[in-house]
Amino acid sequence: MTVDVHTHLVPHGWPDLSVACGGDGWPWLRIDSERAAMIMIGSSEFRPVGPQAWDPAVRRADMDADGIDLQVVSPTPVFFGYERPAAQAVKLAEIFNDLTLETLAGDDRFVPFCQVPLQDPDLACAELDRCRAAGHAGVEIGNHVGDKDLDDAGIVAFLNHCAETGTPVLVHPWDMPGGPRLDRWMARWLAGMPAETHLSLLAMILGGAFDRLPPALRICFAHGGGSFAFWLGRLENAWHRRGDIVRGCSEHPPSAYLDRILVDTVVFESAPLRLLVDTLGEDRVLVGSDYPYPLGERPVGEVVRKAGFLTAEQQHKLLTSNALRYLGRSE
């Protein structure tokens, strides 16, 4: 069995969000043909999508071609709505969470993850509980809410609720900074996303979030954890040499928290995959793809299957057992 823990879904349609949620400037879907659509934000094109994003039959065919047995299906981050008033964001979450279950229609090869209005911890916990009761297995969250990072007290309270309910969490970067230097060459995705995820892991460690959260929390960081593994030595050095500034609220050196971190394999090459395994350990890395988007890996899991440095047992962990443990399932 091979499990892909990082994929996204876009429903084929949704109600007019300005009516359903209030406010304006919401995303909407421009249908160009049976096999092509465009996510729009106002009058601006955000991202083209095809049937892979909404058609379970197409997804299953691609899974069969890639040898994937289970696929975690999460929202597309543009629909998080964290910048909205919480009352609007919870209505948005309800719409997309229900559409996800309707789209996947109980197919046991798909493992749905919900979204929550993370800007309001109480509403986020309530929506998580509603979704878990309805059939969602986990939750995807963005890596920040405005200027609040993952060590914010409200976000930590939500993550504590995830730990208490046994809910796996996928952290995905979103709302990357722009500007002339980042608006070329998809630089927000190529440089901004890894940096955002790295910053979130710094917040979890130096902000003391891991110290306030139980080890039972199963939390995975997308895109290989960004640039964190590469710069762990720099972080460790700074913690010891400039502890007056760098240590923040952390009780231990950064290396002491590595067994709290899970990452996916969306790094594409053997060398960075080896760095992840060497840095975090063979039990902390899970296959992910970012399917169905063009910056994702196809065939899914190829970087693991072609990694000559992995033993057969280690490959099995990355392809199967680590993800099943993350999802709270047995082999």
Side-chain angles (χ1 to χ4, degrees):
M1 177 179 289
T2 301
V3 185
D4 182 353
V5 302
H6 177 183
T7 80
H8 299 286
L9 173 142
V10 177
H12 195 251
W14 53 86
D16 184 337
L17 298 177
S18 64
V19 175
C21 303
D24 52 21
W26 291 99
W28 58 282
L29 194 66
R30 189 187 74 204
I31 305 296
D32 296 328
S33 72
E34 288 186 2
R35 300 186 60 82
M38 179 69 69
I39 300 173
M40 303 289 294
I41 301 179
S43 59
S44 300
E45 295 182 345
F46 174 73
R47 174 176 293 165
V49 289
Q52 298 88 350
W54 64 72
D55 188 338
V58 175
R59 298 179 78 100
R60 282 193 298 269
D62 286 346
M63 291 166 67
D64 290 343
D66 292 357
I68 300 298
D69 299 279
L70 285 179
Q71 186 185 77
V72 172
V73 183
S74 295
T76 294
V78 72
F79 303 117
F80 283 155
Y82 294 163
E83 76 284 2
R84 301 277 177 169
Q88 294 181 8
V90 72
K91 292 179 181 178
L92 175 73
E94 290 170 353
I95 290 169
F96 278 87
N97 290 333
D98 292 347
L99 282 172
T100 294
L101 294 182
E102 179 183 320
T103 300
L104 302 179
D107 189 319
D108 61 9
R109 292 185 68 184
F110 299 121
V111 183
F113 273 30
C114 65
Q115 66 184 66
V116 296
L118 197 59
Q119 62 267 60
D120 187 307
D122 291 336
L123 290 177
C125 290
E127 178 60 9
L128 177 67
D129 291 345
R130 186 188 77 87
C131 289
R132 290 301 306 272
H136 287 271
V139 62
E140 179 190 51
I141 64 171
N143 65 306
H144 69 101
V145 177
D147 291 331
K148 297 178 179 178
D149 219 315
L150 297 186
D151 61 325
D152 173 75
I155 297 176
V156 170
F158 173 75
L159 292 175
N160 259 309
H161 186 67
C162 292
E164 292 168 359
T165 57
T167 302
V169 181
L170 176 65
V171 178
H172 198 289
W174 80 293
D175 191 31
M176 291 83 69
R181 296 176 63 239
L182 286 167
D183 288 341
R184 302 186 296 169
W185 320 307
M186 293 192 75
R188 281 188 287 173
W189 281 261
L190 299 177
M193 271 194 168
E196 284 288 325
T197 307
H198 186 170
L199 182 59
S200 297
L201 278 160
L202 293 187
M204 292 292 292
I205 295 170
L206 302 180
F210 279 132
D211 293 320
R212 290 176 280 156
L213 290 164
L217 177 67
R218 304 193 301 274
I219 185 166
C220 180
F221 293 81
H223 309 126
S227 48
F228 175 79
F230 188 85
W231 289 115
L232 174 62
R234 183 177 179 86
L235 173 60
E236 188 86 359
N237 179 69
W239 194 91
H240 287 287
R241 292 177 177 268
R242 290 305 311 270
D244 56 322
I245 299 173
V246 173
R247 290 185 186 180
C249 302
S250 57
E251 296 178 4
H252 308 286
S255 58
Y257 299 94
L258 298 184
D259 63 353
R260 306 291 298 277
I261 299 166
L262 295 166
V263 299
D264 69 20
T265 60
V266 188
V267 294
F268 306 101
E269 298 288 343
S270 181
L273 179 65
R274 184 165 196 160
L275 175 65
L276 291 181
V277 172
D278 287 347
T279 303
L280 299 176
E282 63 194 48
D283 297 322
R284 314 303 298 173
V285 185
L286 302 71
V287 165
S289 68
D290 214 357
Y291 177 94
Y293 295 129
L295 294 186
E297 182 191 45
R298 293 292 309 276
V300 178
E302 185 173 42
V303 68
V304 174
R305 296 187 183 100
K306 289 187 174 181
F309 67 90
L310 293 172
T311 66
E313 181 182 0
Q314 289 174 322
Q315 280 195 336
H316 178 73
K317 287 183 176 183
L318 270 63
L319 292 168
T320 307
S321 54
N322 292 347
L324 292 177
R325 186 173 64 253
Y326 168 62
L327 295 173
R329 301 188 180 198
S330 57
E331 290 194 56

